[in-house]
Amino acid sequence: MSESIFNLTWLIPLPPLLAFFAIILFTNRNKRLSSNVAIGAVSVSWILSWLVAITFFTNPELVKKPFNLMVPWLPTGTTTFSMGVAVDAVTAGMLFMVGFVLTMIFIYSSGYMTFPGHLDPALNTDGLDPRYSRFFAYISLFATGMLGLVVANNLLMLFIFWEIMGLCSYLLIGFWYEKKYPDPKQITPKEAGLKAFLTTRVGDVLLMVGMIFLYIFAGDLNFQVIFSGDTLQHIAAMTVNLPLFGETSWAVLISMLIFFGAIGKSAQFPLHVWLPDAMEGPTPVSALIHAATMVSAGVYLIVRMSPIFMAASHGHNGAMTFVAFIGAFTALFAATIAVAQNDIKRVLAYSTISQLGYMFAALGIGAWVAAIFHLLIHAFFKGLLFLGSGSVIHGVEHGHHHAHEQGHDEGYFDAQDMLNMGGLLKRMPRTGWTFILGGAALSGFPLITAGFWSKDEILSDAWANGHSLVFWTLAAAALLTAFYTFRQIFLTFFGKPRTEAAAHAPESVPSMTVPLMLLAVFAVVGGWIGIPEHFPGLGTILNNPLGRLMGGQAQVYGLHYEVLDFHLFPVVASMTVALGGIFLAWLVYGRRPLKTGEPDPLQVWLGPVHTVLRNKYYVDEFYHATVVRFARWFADMCYAFDSRWFIDPIVNGVGRIGRWFAGALRRFIDEPVIDGAVNGLGLVTQAAGSVVRLLQTGQAQNYLLVLLLTVLVLLAMVQFV
């Protein structure tokens, strides 16, 4: 029975792909039909995903023998490269999360992609975005990319769907490409899309190089082949001399190249700069990128490739240490920036960067199961928060439009600036309460929320295995996370409205709020399946099914997994930083809510430090002054080399020589010889024709006379002969 159900796995990415083609080819003119096609298709994928995932979860014996379906695809000399799908514990967990979150985002999008009427009436006659159908086509292709990546059984197929998501990120971040801002320094959607595409390409190129090396050594990219003991031992034993790094194993080099691909896709330092600017796209796109697809793919890649990272304990050579360092540093680095942001979506963007750092730090210290657990739980509450922020923005935009109609002209208005909000909990209760639940999960509110259990697993593993630096770095990041999350909540939903737009903001439509409520359920109870078995009371009841499944999968791949002994200190520390951050946010923003025109207290207290944090440590400016300027200079040099110094002069010189040679041939060979012969033949023909023409008079008597004379001559010749 399970085998027949798993045979449906290859169908999971197909419905959104068919929806993409159906929308662009047939239903594009009918906006509502296009959205219904997209929602229906992703719902089919969701049902198939849950069918496969639940079948796997209810058959624990499948952990030891994962499903693998391969189809011959490309002849490669003496072998054939196969494509196919695979289902193991990691795949099942991702399918459970991705299918559901994608469906919620699609349903939400049908309500979000409407406008309050401030667009050109000629383009907004039905209240929907002018490119409404195109949007649903793009997100359908995006969903295809993530679902295909999850079920892929080999690295090449994974990379193909990985690049499909890269294309969709460019198309969707720059979806409103015509949008401009009064501030010329503010990045536009068109520029943000290009920035995301180019930045992630840096990591993708390195990932492709790592794949090529891996194929050279393994002869295949199928996960079962490259994770085999022979392959892992081979790449761990073979060494290469690298400049500056000396002799190291190929396993380390391949791992680092693969990790740089994940750094780009998951926006880790130093390739994190694209993700905050990706907020220029529609909010459902932000939820897709931050929760269900895109950045999750980077963590998923490292989870999937963990046996390569752990090959023959090569982590002692620095690869695993590097992963842990980048993850922990990024977690704290992004959290410090988030505390100084006023854009409701940018706060969440830096939060995502920070939380992904948590996951990479967990992978770096070998906490494989904890990283997967946090990846899955994070998708639920971060999807909830992004969709909630979109609901807030949508309501404030409607409120601004209403205030404008009532004669309250607030000039240029930023509907994403939290300082322009306040008091929205009364105006938007469903959005507000679900957002608070999502914020509590992100903050790791003790015992109740899912985020506490997934974060606690990482902190507990770091503490139990002696990774003190990682533990304290992540604990500091958790404190800041709780602070900036509830700063966001207090600024947005509490106090009194600070603008007329906030005072008139309506609650969003059910197609937007129902997905919020469903996601809120998972943001609270989703983490309970990971409660440790040794946790007093609760663990005994729930018996940690996630740990059993993922732990068994870890053993199949030869990864280290152990049930940690209960340590009170990391649990107390996790509770302390979560509650401490929330309490600090209440002291600053909740006890005495901000009033209209009042500056941010944090800005007053921190002064220049706040300026540095607000400007993101000037990393973008540094890149513009160095990398971008160098790239432009190098492009100018290449252009000059091409057009003025070398290439064009040579090409033009060859062209001039060719023209001179052609002229010489024309003057000395073509005209006197070729043309002369042709013209001479024509003159001879013309002269012969002139003589013959005398015989062609057209008079019958002349022809008879010639005939008679000819007969007489012939008779005379016969007579004399």
Side-chain angles (χ1 to χ4, degrees), residues 533-705:
E533 296 179 12
H534 51 258
F535 197 86
L538 293 175
T540 304
I541 296 172
L542 295 170
N543 203 23
N544 194 5
L546 182 72
R548 288 201 313 275
L549 285 170
M550 295 301 176
Q553 193 66 65
Q555 293 173 2
V556 171
Y557 288 143
L559 303 176
H560 174 72
Y561 174 75
E562 62 178 349
V563 178
L564 300 174
D565 294 331
F566 178 74
H567 293 279
L568 182 61
F569 180 78
V571 177
V572 173
S574 180
M575 293 181 177
T576 302
V577 295
L579 295 176
I582 295 172
F583 179 70
L584 288 174
W586 176 81
L587 283 178
V588 179
Y589 299 99
R591 183 179 55 169
R592 195 182 68 83
L594 249 60
K595 296 181 174 58
T596 304
E598 187 177 356
D600 187 343
L602 207 63
Q603 182 178 358
V604 177
W605 298 339
L606 296 181
V609 175
H610 186 275
T611 303
V612 173
L613 298 179
R614 179 93 181 265
N615 288 281
K616 304 160 287 184
Y617 292 101
Y618 298 99
V619 174
D620 284 277
E621 288 77 3
F622 173 75
Y623 281 162
H624 276 280
T626 54
V627 177
V628 175
R629 180 173 294 181
F630 172 77
R632 289 176 175 172
W633 171 85
F634 186 70
D636 290 339
M637 292 299 102
C638 290
Y639 174 76
F641 180 80
D642 177 71
S643 62
R644 295 198 301 269
W645 298 342
F646 196 75
I647 305 299
D648 280 3
I650 291 177
V651 173
N652 294 336
V654 172
R656 284 192 291 268
I657 293 173
R659 287 197 298 270
W660 174 85
F661 187 66
L665 289 176
R666 179 178 60 81
R667 288 193 300 271
F668 298 110
I669 296 179
D670 186 62
E671 291 181 352
V673 179
I674 307 299
D675 286 358
V678 173
N679 293 336
L681 181 62
L683 292 174
V684 171
T685 304
Q686 186 177 12
S690 299
V691 174
V692 174
R693 190 163 52 246
L694 296 175
L695 301 176
Q696 299 294 327
T697 63
Q699 297 179 354
Q701 57 269 30
N702 290 343
Y703 299 152
L704 290 173
L705 177 61

Side-chain angles (χ1 to χ4, degrees), residues 360-374:
F360 281 117
L363 290 169
I365 63 175
W368 193 76
V369 176
I372 298 171
F373 185 26
H374 195 50

